[in-house]
Amino acid sequence: MPIPLRADFDAAGLRAAARRTKDAAQARRLLALAAVYDGVSRTEAARIGGVTVQIVRDWVVRFNAQGPTGLVDRKAPGQA
């Protein structure tokens, strides 16, 4: 069973956030999650985002925890 998205956002709000952001990767992630809010499958959302279903699941977890700011690229863990 897929992890549900937060109830305090909707597809229109995520699309608006995607238009405002300067980060292309965040916009791509927001648009993929907006599609999930619209009722498309996670597989289709993964196609929209250009990633695997597992990555979409990771985005959902980050989005649920931190909102749209959780979808901004972060520094990778580990040694440089």
Side-chain angles (χ1 to χ4, degrees):
M1 180 164 171
I3 299 170
L5 288 167
R6 297 169 61 145
D8 57 337
F9 285 92
D10 62 3
L14 291 187
R15 285 190 181 93
R19 280 191 299 273
R20 286 189 306 267
T21 186
K22 302 282 189 222
D23 184 347
Q26 181 190 24
R28 179 174 47 92
R29 294 171 188 137
L30 288 167
L31 292 173
L33 292 185
V36 173
Y37 273 117
D38 283 339
V40 304
S41 69
R42 304 280 170 112
T43 303
E44 181 64 16
R47 189 193 63 74
I48 291 167
V51 295
T52 65
V53 177
Q54 179 62 43
I55 298 297
V56 171
R57 181 198 169 280
D58 295 343
W59 292 349
V60 169
V61 169
R62 287 169 48 190
F63 175 74
N64 285 344
Q66 301 170 10
T69 59
L71 298 177
V72 174
D73 282 337
R74 306 179 280 203
K75 183 176 185 253
Q79 276 189 324

